[in-house]
Amino acid sequence: METGQREDQRTATERRRHELLEAAERVVLRDGPEASMNAIAAEAGITKPILYRHFGDKSGLYRALARRHTDALLATLRAALDSPGDRRDRVEATLHAYLSAIETRPQVYRFLMHPAETPAADGEKGFDVGRHSAPLLRRMGEDLGEVIAERLDLGPDGPLVARVWGHGIVGMMYAAGDWWLGERPCSRDQLVRMLADVLWGRLGAVDDRAGSQGF
Amino acid sequence: METGQREDQRTATERRRHELLEAAERVVLRDGPEASMNAIAAEAGITKPILYRHFGDKSGLYRALARRHTDALLATLRAALDSPGDRRDRVEATLHAYLSAIETRPQVYRFLMHPAETPAADGEKGFDVGRHSAPLLRRMGEDLGEVIAERLDLGPDGPLVARVWGHGIVGMMYAAGDWWLGERPCSRDQLVRMLADVLWGRLGAVDDRAGSQGF
DNA sequence: GACTGCTGTTACCGCTAGTAACCAGCACGT
DNA sequence: ACGTGCTGGTTACTAGCGGTAACAGCAGTC
């Protein structure tokens, strides 16, 4: 029959695509984001044009590769946001979830956060102008903003405030996490607590240091 | 005399270097960070090998180019951190300084924040492992951490807390600023106030929305 | 048997970063 | 006057990149 045939074809090509993605992932995790299409094709046991037939573009491949991980990460963050406890518990759980993710798979994290796209000549594909990096950060910011808008009573400008906070808090998590991942100056628990402290206003509450000109 | 000779030589080559940097800046600001060495050389009225004699490497050139701007930006941030007023005023002034900088010269900002390095093969130069992006963010985080450590009384773990906060707050400023610069959903004043609100603990203080499952 | 749609290939293009080899001028010491 | 360095500059090249055209084989459908 025909639909069955088509179905088989579809699943077959999707399976193939999946295989290629796995090969690409292996190479990218081994060689970093600057892995060449040749290398990826070789790892998959084929040659370049097939990759281009499947993904059209290097950034297409990378986007497909990234989407899976971003989706997974965002799902775990959403789950952490719904964890039991009071608000601070939830925030800390979310920070923990994020840091745990980047800690256990730093290579994936580096790939997602620092894709280092090189549009080179044309610049037609998707990316509008200079928008070439870190869509993960944006998506996390938007997601958190949504959750905040849903759950908190922020007055007339609520939606705007929620989005600003979403992006801001995500950025705090990102930069602190990136730095922490490189230097490992303390335990994850400590880091989470210190970041939550900032969000709970300790920066505004703590005393000036004796003898300083004040801050 | 000989030392005078040497002096003239030295200043001459430095002036030349400066000229080359200015030409490079013109091209980078026009074509984005993916400007080719050929284009830069052409803009300077010379050919590639001279660029390589002066800067050794593309990333060398870009680093030299970036250093000037990062130094300038960090200086203005430091100044804002020393502005008169209470602590919240200073924080808002600093946010304003940063946002104003990225707003008035978005091209420079894009270049500094998303350099899109392509180490390609060797990977010998400077950058340790996957460390290929955004040294500006790190430097801002470290600087702010220093200032916080100097001025605030943060107890026994003070230095660590200060660094965490420095990187975290800078990250918040960065991500929110990047998003704001792209979407322009509100005025700079509003953005500054909302971010300062988070830092002053409004996230922990605001009420749950009626009917939500709580946050 | 002809057509379609997938698999795959080889061989190429235009571009890039980076380099080797060479040339011209100008201040030197002799 | 003569070579001797040093510097700024060039042409001409390499190796590798992303990306593509053209072609070949092999399923299943009409």
Side-chain angles (χ1 to χ4, degrees), chain A residues 34 81-82 87 90-91 110 114 116-120 130-133 137-138 142 148-154 157 160-161 163-165 167-169 171-172 174-176 178-179 183 185-186 190-191 194-195 197-209 212-215, chain B residues 34 81-82 87 90-91 110 114 116-120 130-133 137-138 142 148-154 157 160-161 163-165 167-169 171-172 174-176 178-179 183 185-186 190-191 194-195 197-209 212-215:
Chain A
E34 59 270 2
L81 239 19
D82 287 331
R87 192 180 300 168
R90 293 176 187 213
V91 168
R110 296 261 173 242
H114 311 293
E117 304 254 0
T118 59
R131 187 102 322 300
H132 60 293
S133 153
L137 213 59
R138 289 294 179 99
E142 288 294 325
I148 292 176
E150 281 169 14
R151 303 187 182 178
L152 295 190
D153 183 14
L154 290 166
D157 281 337
L160 175 61
V161 175
R163 293 179 79 201
V164 169
W165 288 11
H167 287 284
I169 293 170
M172 159 178 287
Y174 157 70
D178 195 88
W179 164 75
E183 303 214 356
C186 61
Q190 283 180 286
L191 180 63
M194 291 185 261
L195 289 177
D197 277 349
V198 187
L199 292 175
W200 257 253
R202 224 188 119 199
L203 174 69
V206 77
D207 282 336
D208 275 343
R209 195 183 191 84
S212 85
Q213 73 268 50
F215 179 57
Chain B
E34 58 269 2
L81 238 20
D82 287 332
R87 192 180 301 167
R90 292 176 187 214
V91 168
R110 296 260 173 243
H114 311 292
E117 305 252 0
T118 59
R131 187 105 319 298
H132 60 294
S133 155
L137 213 59
R138 289 294 177 98
E142 288 294 324
I148 292 176
E150 281 169 14
R151 303 188 182 178
L152 295 189
D153 183 14
L154 289 166
D157 281 337
L160 175 62
V161 176
R163 293 180 79 201
V164 170
W165 287 11
H167 287 283
I169 294 170
M172 159 179 286
Y174 157 69
D178 194 87
W179 165 75
E183 304 213 356
C186 62
Q190 284 181 284
L191 181 62
M194 290 185 263
L195 289 177
D197 277 349
V198 187
L199 291 176
W200 256 254
R202 224 187 118 198
L203 175 70
V206 78
D207 283 335
D208 275 342
R209 195 184 191 82
S212 85
Q213 73 269 48
F215 180 58

Side-chain angles (χ1 to χ4, degrees), chain B residues 8-24 26 40-51 53-55 61 68:
Chain B
D8 287 359
Q9 258 319 57
R10 212 184 68 88
T11 62
T13 68
E14 291 213 342
R15 279 164 43 97
R16 194 83 185 94
R17 184 186 163 98
H18 197 91
E19 287 175 30
L20 298 183
L21 274 179
E22 299 231 326
R26 257 173 282 146
I40 295 175
E43 169 74 27
I46 52 162
T47 49
K48 274 193 300 177
I50 308 179
L51 284 182
R53 278 222 262 272
H54 273 271
F55 304 101
L61 200 174
R68 308 161 63 193

Side-chain angles (χ1 to χ4, degrees), chain B residues 80-81 83 88-98 192:
Chain B
L81 238 20
S83 62
R88 170 133 184 175
D89 288 337
R90 292 176 187 214
V91 168
E92 292 199 0
T94 308
L95 288 168
H96 257 298
Y98 174 79
V192 166

